[in-house]
Amino acid sequence: MGRLLDGLGEDHIFWGTDTPIFGPPHWAIQAFQAYKIPDEVIEKNKYPQLTDQAKEKILCHNAARVFKIDIKAAKKAVEGDLLYKLRMDGNPLPVTVDTTRLRR
């Protein structure tokens, strides 16, 4: 990660996963959010620090900028999607869904 930050800069790094193959990537995203380049590695190689701002760009804002995605509009559209509300990936639902009405 230090080499990427040093060579490309935080504005040119995208997050990617094999989500369709391995399932929801929340565990990997949480690990990346918690990751810190060790201080001795930064000092030895003169790498920039991987800040929270850089992580946010890598996880979201860089791709949104390149693909011209309005993040607020996209979030609103996704949160209204029934499949999003019914997902079973261990994350809390943004709203309560009455699944008894879905059964026939």
Side-chain angles (χ1 to χ4, degrees), residues 1-14 47-48 58:
M1 182 53 65
R3 283 188 181 179
L4 289 173
L5 286 169
D6 188 44
L8 299 174
E10 65 188 40
D11 292 324
H12 303 282
I13 303 170
F14 283 32
Y47 290 150
I58 292 166

Side-chain angles (χ1 to χ4, degrees), residues 5-72:
L5 286 169
D6 188 44
L8 299 174
E10 65 188 40
D11 292 324
H12 303 282
I13 303 170
F14 283 32
W15 176 263
T17 69
D18 289 337
T19 295
I21 297 170
F22 296 112
H26 298 295
W27 63 271
I29 292 170
Q30 290 170 342
F32 179 71
Q33 288 172 326
Y35 177 72
K36 182 179 183 302
I37 301 171
D39 291 335
E40 55 272 9
V41 173
I42 289 174
E43 291 173 20
K44 178 182 175 188
N45 297 293
K46 309 282 192 270
Y47 290 150
Q49 184 56 260
L50 180 60
T51 64
D52 289 341
Q53 177 183 344
K55 291 175 187 179
E56 191 171 311
K57 286 181 177 182
I58 292 166
L59 287 169
C60 176
H61 295 286
N62 291 342
R65 183 187 73 246
V66 169
F67 294 111
K68 297 178 179 17
I69 296 169
D70 179 333
I71 295 172
K72 288 181 183 178

